[in-house]
Amino acid sequence: MRIVNHVYSRAPRHGVGGAQDVPLVLVHAFPVDHHMWDECAARIAEQAEREGLGTLTIWAPDMPGAGEGPVPDAAASGPMADDGAYPQALDRMADAYVALLREAGYRRAVWAGLSMGGYLVLDIHRRHPDAVAGIALCDTKADADGPEAHASRLSIAETMEATGTREPIMHFAAANPLRDSTVKRSHEFIARMTALIEAQDPRGVAWRERMAAGRPDLNDQLQLITVPAAVVCGDKDPSSPPAVMGPIAERMTGTTPAFTVIEDCGHFSAMEHPDELARPLVALMARVRTLDAMREDGDAEDAAKDDAAKEDRA
């Protein structure tokens, strides 16, 4: 399974595995591609410079079948269930993302996933915890689909494969005047979201629906997270509101997640309020840097003590 990466910025490298050598990997939502992160990635870079973190390495790969990502074939996707879902596809995608990281010479990353991107970063933690230096769960959930959502995904996949239309997912660009955020109701947002959806290959959208329909429940991962973490949602998110995201943060008992609720914000926080989402992500990077630096100092102190002990014995 091939992952097409997009690099927003690249920090100079001063040794593999150190406190400065951890990329921030932004994982996009359904049904769009990495471009949903464009403004937010720029704000992250600006805020990191202002906070004294310097230049960050910021990636935003396209999921398979999204943007420039090729649609995986049957061999890459794994066996299809009788109902048409791909029960192994999320795992294979998680492996491919970590392989991309390792091929670039990095051991770990801070993984930030929004919506469907959150499913992926939780699965990366499940399969490759050693590759996770920090984790951000944005506007997402840890549950597997219920029967109705599962069936809806597969119906959308079948329709898009059969007709080549994007109509079944155009509702992501529609606004509810009574419920949605100010930004989502704006003509500018609707136009941008419409353009992002229209740029997608219907076959790739269908693949992502089949992948998500086959994903496992990942709630068991929450208590296993011990790295620095952030949980973020919009107060007007219809599918992952504070009532959903708050309990996710509470179940992360192995760490102390920073829980942020963005006001007047819906599901696509990276597009609706890029500045507001950038803040907790930059803060997360700072926490990871601080923790790694403390570990490096501790390792250096232990090494010095060992050297002194050897000299004493000599």
Side-chain angles (χ1 to χ4, degrees), residues 132-186:
V132 181
I135 191 167
L137 301 176
C138 309
D139 304 289
T140 189
K141 60 182 179 179
D143 303 334
D145 283 341
E148 185 177 344
H150 182 91
S152 176
R153 286 191 192 277
L154 297 177
S155 175
I156 289 171
E158 291 168 5
T159 298
M160 297 188 76
E161 289 166 343
T163 66
T165 181
R166 300 171 185 83
E167 188 58 35
I169 57 169
M170 292 309 299
H171 66 276
F172 283 96
N176 183 321
L178 300 178
R179 183 185 65 195
D180 287 330
S181 69
T182 304
V183 172
K184 189 175 180 184
R185 298 197 310 268
S186 69

Side-chain angles (χ1 to χ4, degrees), residues 7-222:
V7 179
Y8 287 113
S9 58
R10 182 180 286 109
R13 302 189 71 179
H14 304 293
V16 176
Q20 309 294 319
D21 199 50
V22 178
L24 172 62
V25 183
L26 306 172
V27 188
H28 64 79
F30 177 86
V32 294
D33 57 33
H34 82 279
H35 284 298
M36 64 157 275
W37 287 107
D38 286 352
E39 288 85 356
C40 190
R43 303 299 180 271
I44 291 168
E46 293 166 3
Q47 291 183 26
E49 291 281 359
R50 288 200 302 268
E51 295 295 325
L53 297 181
T55 302
L56 300 180
T57 296
I58 305 174
W59 292 2
D62 278 330
M63 283 188 186
E68 298 174 23
V71 182
D73 60 17
S77 302
M80 178 180 282
D82 291 343
D83 63 3
Y86 284 131
Q88 294 182 13
L90 180 63
D91 287 353
R92 294 183 179 211
M93 182 165 60
D95 295 348
Y97 268 69
V98 173
L100 180 74
L101 182 76
R102 299 277 163 76
E103 287 164 6
Y106 297 99
R107 292 193 299 108
R108 303 174 305 144
V110 172
W111 304 89
L114 196 153
S115 192
M116 187 177 284
Y119 311 160
L120 178 63
V121 302
L122 276 174
D123 204 49
I124 287 172
H125 183 272
R126 181 173 73 91
R127 294 179 65 80
H128 304 278
D130 59 323
V132 181
I135 191 167
L137 301 176
C138 309
D139 304 289
T140 189
K141 60 182 179 179
D143 303 334
D145 283 341
E148 185 177 344
H150 182 91
S152 176
R153 286 191 192 277
L154 297 177
S155 175
I156 289 171
E158 291 168 5
T159 298
M160 297 188 76
E161 289 166 343
T163 66
T165 181
R166 300 171 185 83
E167 188 58 35
I169 57 169
M170 292 309 299
H171 66 276
F172 283 96
N176 183 321
L178 300 178
R179 183 185 65 195
D180 287 330
S181 69
T182 304
V183 172
K184 189 175 180 184
R185 298 197 310 268
S186 69
H187 294 300
E188 294 81 6
F189 181 90
I190 292 170
R192 179 147 186 257
M193 181 61 79
T194 298
L196 284 175
I197 293 172
E198 289 179 343
Q200 304 305 307
D201 182 339
R203 298 171 306 146
V205 175
W207 184 89
R208 283 182 276 164
E209 288 282 53
R210 294 187 185 280
M211 174 274 296
R215 76 186 189 280
D217 187 285
L218 293 166
N219 278 290
D220 62 341
Q221 289 303 298
L222 298 175

Side-chain angles (χ1 to χ4, degrees), residues 226-246:
T226 58
V227 295
V231 176
V232 186
C233 68
D235 64 344
K236 294 185 177 181
D237 188 328
S239 56
S240 301
V244 170
M245 299 300 292

